[in-house]
């Protein structure tokens, strides 16, 4: 059987599928006739040397608003070739259309036109691309189709395309979508070999599409042409950060590499995904000049009003009416789904929490400009310490109860980041002497003679303090019992608060009620706010819920210490007895 390769879609077909003297197959010619001819390029851009290059110009109505002007002006692109290849050779890998030829959604077509924008030298414009759309808008599927194009349809020699994700399950999704497409497509089934973890094209030596889970193997030394990163917001661990770096470093030797990243919004603003999201917004706004970065992000505007409105849904779901529907969104966004989850998954908005345990805006509403904590008649003063000697943070929270209102202030010691790697330092240890100096300065004051103060100021922070005279200082005996014993010998009223459900369930719920009812005041300390956001509510085996760390294991010691203060304040004065050593 005599096979020829179509110049436009790259598919190998029988010679009878080509008209005499034509380099494009009959399917590509038919699809080209069906589509509206673009306007002619300006005289100074009449020609460009690149296979499949075509001038693209349209009204921009099918692309995200930030890119409409680009499409209206027009540009050279290899996108027509890619679209024809996908719609001719690829099929839907699952769902009710499984096995049927692909018909790209308008936004996908326009996005591909721009993704494959060409420079004057005929090479692709973009080296990095981040696409963000809400759930169920066919992100993973289009990633699989593009991966197959780069494997079997592109002109890059010996293409190596890893389909990477943060975990095995997600890596299976994008790789299996590509594998199933290749198996169900009559043409791709002939030219590819599908294995458990890779897809090969025997007629193209070295061509490989790989399944990669972040941290799942040694990727150094691979000459990567294109890397597909699926659900980038889930790349939160040190291993995934390393994998991301290795994959990008593996493309240095290529003429026109591409890191193609697709994701839904996340919540952790210290991750790769958010950093690139913020970078992309600045690129689109003209604050950063980076012509190699293509940022396409569909999200509901913050000013869209009701988050369940039709306008908010349409802004984040360009596949509305095809793969997702507004009616289904209304059903899914009802309880038990919480607002922050609906905003992330369905409106593609970044949130500040993994799992909100407070009503939106409740903590911010408790901020006051002047939170003064000093003793006085009818006032109760307590403190609590949630400490760790290493690999974590330590918080000292002071709370004052006056009437029904509680005022809190916090001081934190957190493990610093290594300036070379950006990762938390492994050799850090809690400066326990600083904690002791600060605690005694608050309790006894800094005007009193003592080794905790110098020249009338705290040795730890350099600030002067009046004597607060805490009624009790709570601490978790699991970590600092030895130091707590020394402080008790100095006269501090140390009280053990083991982190049992019996204590921490009512403590957590008391903190929630104070904040939700606006009966707690804080000074707007961003570090304390971050710890409050990092905490999540988890069900207790003894009943009820308590605050704990989320999946990302972000520090939230100040939230626990604040809850411990509420526990101390909930006890009658005569029941809070110092632990005697």
């Amino acid at each position: 059987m005599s096979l020829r390769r179509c110049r436009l879609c790259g598919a190998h077909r029988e010679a009878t599928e080509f008209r005499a003297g034509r380099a494009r197959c009959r399917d590509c010619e038919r699809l080209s006739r069906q589509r509206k001819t673009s306007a002619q390029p300006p005289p100074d851009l009449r020609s460009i040397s690149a296979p499949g290059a075509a001038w693209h110009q349209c009204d921009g109505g099918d692309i995200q608003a930030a890119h409409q002007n680009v499409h209206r002006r027009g540009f050279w692109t290899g996108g027509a070739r890619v679209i024809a290849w996908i719609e001719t050779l690829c099929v839907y890998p699952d769902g009710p259309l499984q096995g049927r030829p692909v018909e790209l959604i308008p936004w996908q077509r326009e996005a591909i036109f721009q993704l494959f924008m060409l420079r004057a030298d005929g090479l692709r414009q973009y080296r990095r691309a981040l696409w963000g759309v809400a759930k169920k808008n066919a992100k993973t599927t289009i990633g699989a189709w593009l991966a197959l194009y780069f494997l079997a349809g592109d002109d890059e020699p010996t293409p190596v395309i890893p389909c990477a994700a943060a975990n095995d399950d997600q890596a299976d999704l994008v790789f299996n979508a590509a594998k199933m497409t290749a198996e169900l497509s009559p043409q791709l089934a002939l030219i590819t070999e599908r294995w458990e973890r890779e897809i090969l094209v025997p007629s193209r030596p070295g061509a490989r599409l790989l399944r990669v889970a972040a941290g799942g193997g040694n990727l150094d030394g691979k000459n990567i042409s294109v890397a597909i990163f699926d659900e980038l917001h889930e790349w939160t661990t040190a291993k995934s950060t390393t994998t991301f770096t290795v994959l990008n470093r593996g493309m240095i030797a290529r003429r026109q590499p591409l890191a193609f990243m697709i994701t839904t919004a996340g919540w952790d603003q210290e991750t790769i995904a958010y950093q690139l999201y913020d970078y992309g917004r600045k690129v689109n706004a003209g604050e950063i000049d980076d012509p190699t970065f293509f940022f396409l992000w569909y999200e509901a505007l913050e000013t869209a009003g009701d988050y369940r409105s039709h306008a908010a849904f349409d802004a984040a779901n360009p596949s509305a009416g095809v793969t997702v529907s507004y009616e289904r969104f209304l059903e899914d966004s009802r309880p038990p789904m919480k607002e922050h989850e609906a905003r992330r998954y369905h409106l593609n908005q970044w949130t500040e929490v993994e799992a909100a345990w407070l009503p939106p805006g409740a903590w911010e509403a408790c901020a006051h400009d002047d939170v003064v904590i000093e003793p006085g008649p009818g006032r109760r003063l307590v403190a609590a310490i949630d400490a760790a000697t290493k690999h974590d943070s330590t918080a000292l929270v002071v709370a004052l109860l006056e009437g029904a209102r509680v005022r809190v202030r916090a001081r934190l010691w957190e493990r610093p980041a290594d300036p070379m790697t950006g990762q938390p330092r492994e050799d850090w240890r809690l400066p326990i002497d600083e904690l002791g100096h600060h605690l005694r300065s608050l309790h006894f004051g800094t005007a009193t003679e003592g080794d905790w103060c110098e020249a009338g100021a705290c040795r730890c922070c350099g600030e002067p303090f009046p004597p607060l005279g805490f009624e009790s200082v709570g601490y978790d005996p699991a970590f600092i019992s030895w130091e707590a014993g020394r402080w008790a010998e100095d006269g501090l009223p140390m009280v053990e608060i083991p982190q049992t459900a019996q204590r921490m369930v009512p403590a957590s719920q008391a903190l929630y009620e104070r904040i939700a009812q606006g009966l707690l005041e804080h000074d707007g300390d961003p570090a304390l706010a971050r710890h409050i956001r990092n905490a999540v509510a988890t069900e207790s085996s003894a009943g009820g819920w308590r605050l704990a760390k989320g999946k990302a294991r972000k520090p939230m010691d100040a939230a626990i210490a604040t809850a411990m203060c509420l526990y101390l304040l909930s006890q009658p004065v005569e029941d809070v007895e110092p632990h005697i050593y």
Side-chain angles (χ1 to χ4, degrees), residues 188-233:
L188 293 179
L190 288 174
I191 65 172
T192 62
E193 290 181 356
R194 286 82 54 200
W195 302 94
E196 183 180 0
R197 292 179 177 269
E198 64 180 2
I199 301 174
L200 307 177
V201 181
S203 62
R204 305 191 71 188
R208 301 172 65 199
L209 192 157
L210 311 171
R211 172 198 177 280
V212 175
N218 183 12
L219 298 169
D220 280 321
K222 294 189 183 300
N223 188 18
I224 297 168
S225 53
V226 174
I228 311 289
F229 299 89
D230 196 24
E231 293 297 1
L232 193 64
H233 76 275

Side-chain angles (χ1 to χ4, degrees), residues 172-442:
D172 283 339
L173 290 179
V174 64
F175 178 80
N176 286 345
K179 182 178 177 181
M180 186 59 67
T181 297
E183 288 181 351
L184 295 178
S185 165
Q187 298 94 333
L188 293 179
L190 288 174
I191 65 172
T192 62
E193 290 181 356
R194 286 82 54 200
W195 302 94
E196 183 180 0
R197 292 179 177 269
E198 64 180 2
I199 301 174
L200 307 177
V201 181
S203 62
R204 305 191 71 188
R208 301 172 65 199
L209 192 157
L210 311 171
R211 172 198 177 280
V212 175
N218 183 12
L219 298 169
D220 280 321
K222 294 189 183 300
N223 188 18
I224 297 168
S225 53
V226 174
I228 311 289
F229 299 89
D230 196 24
E231 293 297 1
L232 193 64
H233 76 275
E234 295 182 357
W235 293 58
T236 59
T237 65
K239 279 188 176 181
S240 62
T241 301
T242 301
T243 301
F244 184 83
T245 302
V246 169
L247 290 175
N248 278 276
R249 190 171 59 223
M251 293 186 280
I252 291 177
R254 293 287 184 167
R255 292 184 312 148
Q256 48 180 357
L258 176 65
F260 181 64
M261 301 162 281
I262 47 181
T263 190
T264 298
W267 65 271
D268 188 347
Q269 298 188 5
E270 297 178 16
T271 56
I272 298 168
Y274 184 82
Q275 292 167 5
L276 290 172
Y277 165 81
D278 187 57
Y279 184 86
R281 288 198 304 177
K282 291 175 180 176
V283 170
N284 283 358
E287 299 176 37
I288 295 176
D289 181 21
D290 186 353
T292 69
F293 192 88
F294 178 25
F295 179 67
L296 182 68
W297 196 274
Y298 290 89
E299 67 180 318
L301 299 177
E302 294 180 2
T303 57
D306 179 12
Y307 76 95
R308 299 176 79 236
S309 70
H310 212 308
F313 173 79
D314 287 343
N317 293 271
S319 301
V322 182
T323 63
V324 288
S325 69
Y326 178 62
E327 292 72 24
R328 183 59 185 270
F329 161 63
L330 292 179
E331 294 175 7
D332 289 349
S333 59
R334 293 180 183 138
M337 177 172 279
K338 296 173 181 171
E339 180 178 338
H340 73 276
E341 295 172 331
R343 288 185 177 277
R344 276 184 55 208
Y345 298 141
H346 295 301
L347 302 185
N348 202 32
Q349 293 177 329
W350 282 84
T351 62
E352 294 186 340
V353 293
E354 175 186 9
W357 63 280
L358 287 172
W363 178 257
E364 292 74 13
C366 292
H368 291 262
D369 293 334
D370 189 18
V371 176
V372 178
I373 295 180
E374 58 186 16
R379 296 178 174 180
R380 294 180 63 186
L381 269 164
V382 300
I385 302 166
D386 190 51
T389 56
K390 61 180 181 177
H391 303 320
D392 210 334
S393 62
T394 291
L396 168 60
V397 175
V398 177
L400 180 147
L401 174 64
E402 184 175 21
R405 305 187 71 80
V406 175
R407 301 174 195 160
V408 299
R409 300 195 72 163
R411 180 171 177 83
L412 284 82
W413 290 262
E414 295 186 286
R415 187 158 56 123
D418 187 315
M420 298 298 294
T421 65
Q423 298 300 313
R425 286 176 47 184
E426 293 293 332
D427 61 348
W428 181 79
R429 297 294 183 272
L430 169 67
I432 196 71
D433 288 339
E434 283 189 20
L435 174 58
H437 291 326
H438 194 65
L439 178 60
R440 286 177 286 186
S441 293
L442 291 171

